[in-house]
Amino acid sequence: MIRIDNLIKHFGRTKALDGISFNVNKGELFGLLGPNGAGKTTTVRIISTLIIPTKGKVEVNGYELPKNASIIRNFIGYVPQALSSDGSLTGYENLLIFAKLVGLNKRDREKKINELIDLMELGDFSRKLVREYSGGMVRKLEIAQALLHNPEILLLDEPTVGLDPVSRRSVWYVLLTLQKQYETTILLTTHYMEEAEALCERIAIMDHGKIVTIGTPQEIIKQTGAKSLENAFIVLTGHSVDEGGNFNELRRIRKTARRLQ
Amino acid sequence: MREGILMSLGESEKQQEGYNKSLSSKIKKWINDSLTLGEMEARRLRHDPTELFTRAVQPVLWLLVFGETFTRIKAIPTGGVPYIAFMTPGILSQSVLFISIFYGLALIWD
């Protein structure tokens, strides 16, 4: 579904991605795990057609980037780390505006919005202003927004950052439902070990713009001889997942976390 | 097979493909998107109409405070035109320009 081969991305003199390669299979829930500044967001932003790679091959559903970006946008849904819903509108209105922007006709629009409100269990809250929602409900609304045009692939950048444990689990439940019930291919980034272990069938551990290893969480633990994924990460990279990242990345994450609380 | 809610949009998918093809469809989509963003702003204002008042405060203050002051002290020659009449078009243009810039930036972020 997604094929990435020797992907390189430079921002000026900074090498954000240093020749990464991985595949995401159809219907798979794949995770990019790494500390802040590892290159996870850059990878997702390239796949979501928001930035152009410096070098390397990116193929989504058989179409190559960047020349087929407009076609690829039709079958990917993207939930960015920063908030994409409008707090001064209701949940229903947010979905309505997104539905109009992705070009759904009037008949499909109402049906699809109501079905997604049910799927995300937003119920009566859909008529309330989003600024009154809990962090978990905001994230579920944003996932619903990304699903309006029926994408086969869902990309999520740190979907549970800043959420309390209960909200985090409710988002996990939604993602697992989408994958198991609707066979949606999901690629997410995270720096939470327990999230990667609980959700992802396979993970790629990233550090300093490179992929250190790819496999199922169990395979990675076994391969390193560690007791947990967290220890396996330390064995593979030489540091814990909490280290790394620069001031701007930390500020961005904290800003998102503050707005979700 | 992907079933249920995620398979109910055949018509819309065709519509999207259409959007990607011809120039007239692209223009149609551009107009629709612009109207949708306008609708979004209108809905925001409906939920919080006080914003209309706060946006009007600055030009009104300019007219009342500076307008009245300069009318009294006659510091700027206006060629016989009342100072409020001399100032109003400029204040309105400035307000329109500033609000357009702020809204433009907000739209880019959206």
Side-chain angles (χ1 to χ4, degrees):
Chain A
M1 209 71 180
I2 301 173
R3 285 177 187 278
I4 292 184
D5 188 25
N6 198 26
L7 181 62
I8 294 170
K9 177 66 188 177
H10 292 179
F11 291 108
R13 287 181 183 177
T14 311
K15 207 176 218 181
L17 294 176
D18 190 6
I20 64 165
S21 303
F22 65 92
N23 294 333
V24 181
N25 303 320
K26 193 174 167 64
E28 187 177 27
L29 208 163
F30 188 91
L32 294 174
L33 174 69
N36 303 325
K40 309 185 299 288
T41 299
T42 306
T43 309
V44 171
R45 292 187 76 196
I46 288 173
I47 300 168
S48 60
T49 75
L50 289 175
I51 53 175
I52 297 169
T54 308
K55 261 185 188 173
K57 196 175 176 183
V58 181
E59 212 178 271
V60 182
N61 217 4
Y63 293 94
E64 203 175 324
L65 272 172
K67 65 179 177 184
N68 296 306
S70 62
I71 299 171
I72 288 171
R73 281 182 206 133
N74 285 332
F75 43 74
I76 57 166
Y78 174 50
V79 182
Q81 191 184 114
L83 293 190
S84 58
S85 56
D86 191 326
S88 51
L89 296 177
T90 66
Y92 176 85
E93 285 173 328
N94 268 284
L95 289 168
L96 182 70
I97 296 295
F98 268 78
K100 287 184 175 182
L101 289 173
V102 296
L104 298 190
N105 62 42
K106 201 173 178 181
R107 186 172 50 84
D108 286 338
R109 213 155 53 209
E110 284 302 312
K111 191 180 168 200
K112 184 73 179 173
I113 289 172
N114 289 326
E115 284 167 344
L116 283 169
I117 285 171
D118 288 343
L119 181 70
M120 300 298 161
E121 296 175 343
L122 292 172
D124 294 338
F125 269 91
S126 64
R127 302 284 168 180
K128 290 190 175 178
L129 293 180
V130 172
R131 67 166 80 104
E132 295 169 20
Y133 283 23
S134 68
M137 288 167 80
V138 173
R139 274 300 187 218
K140 286 200 277 187
L141 175 67
E142 288 176 323
I143 295 170
Q145 287 170 185
L147 291 172
L148 278 163
H149 60 299
N150 189 29
E152 290 172 57
I153 302 166
L154 185 61
L155 308 169
L156 303 109
D157 191 6
E158 301 270 8
T160 62
V161 74
L163 297 186
D164 60 75
V166 176
S167 300
R168 188 172 293 169
R169 282 180 189 280
S170 72
V171 172
W172 290 358
Y173 177 74
V174 164
L175 295 179
L176 287 171
T177 305
L178 286 171
Q179 189 225 357
K180 307 274 183 225
Q181 210 167 323
Y182 302 108
E183 296 178 21
T184 307
T185 306
I186 299 175
L187 170 64
L188 63 85
T189 74
T190 184
H191 64 275
Y192 296 125
M193 294 291 169
E194 71 275 18
E195 183 163 285
E197 262 186 297
L199 278 182
C200 303
E201 288 168 335
R202 284 193 308 139
I203 52 177
I205 290 185
M206 288 188 77
D207 193 34
H208 295 109
K210 290 182 176 174
I211 288 182
V212 184
T213 190
I214 300 178
T216 65
Q218 295 73 23
E219 278 171 1
I220 292 172
I221 292 169
K222 201 175 166 187
Q223 169 198 335
T224 53
K227 286 181 181 172
S228 65
L229 193 58
E230 194 159 358
N231 286 340
F233 188 90
I234 295 170
V235 171
L236 288 163
T237 64
H239 59 83
S240 86
V241 77
D242 296 327
E243 295 167 22
N246 58 28
F247 179 78
N248 285 337
E249 282 150 2
L250 199 62
R251 186 170 62 177
R252 196 181 64 224
I253 287 170
R254 287 195 178 165
K255 195 175 169 188
T256 306
R258 200 169 52 241
R259 290 182 68 190
L260 280 168
Q261 280 165 0
Chain B
M1 282 291 290
R2 305 177 81 225
E3 292 170 345
I5 60 164
L6 300 177
M7 285 298 286
S8 60
L9 296 169
E11 288 299 314
S12 297
E13 281 170 353
K14 281 175 202 161
Q15 195 179 337
Q16 280 178 22
E17 282 168 23
Y19 276 146
N20 294 332
K21 280 175 186 168
S22 68
L23 181 66
S24 63
S25 295
K26 281 181 179 171
I27 293 170
K28 192 180 161 194
K29 176 153 173 55
W30 183 80
I31 293 169
N32 279 339
D33 287 354
S34 304
L35 290 173
T36 304
L37 290 174
E39 183 190 337
M40 184 171 75
E41 287 303 326
R43 284 176 182 273
R44 278 179 185 159
L45 277 177
R46 202 183 65 185
H47 290 300
D48 185 13
T50 55
E51 214 179 315
L52 276 179
F53 171 76
T54 51
R55 280 174 204 171
V57 164
Q58 196 198 24
V60 169
L61 274 179
W62 274 86
L63 285 174
L64 289 180
V65 177
F66 288 96
E68 280 301 311
T69 310
F70 283 109
T71 304
R72 278 163 202 253
I73 62 174
K74 298 187 186 330
I76 298 171
T78 59
V81 180
Y83 195 76
I84 294 284
F86 175 77
M87 203 178 184
T88 302
I91 298 284
L92 286 179
S93 308
Q94 178 196 299
S95 297
V96 168
L97 181 69
F98 279 13
I99 290 171
S100 304
I101 290 170
F102 291 139
Y103 257 92
L105 287 173
L107 279 177
I108 289 169
W109 283 112
D110 282 337

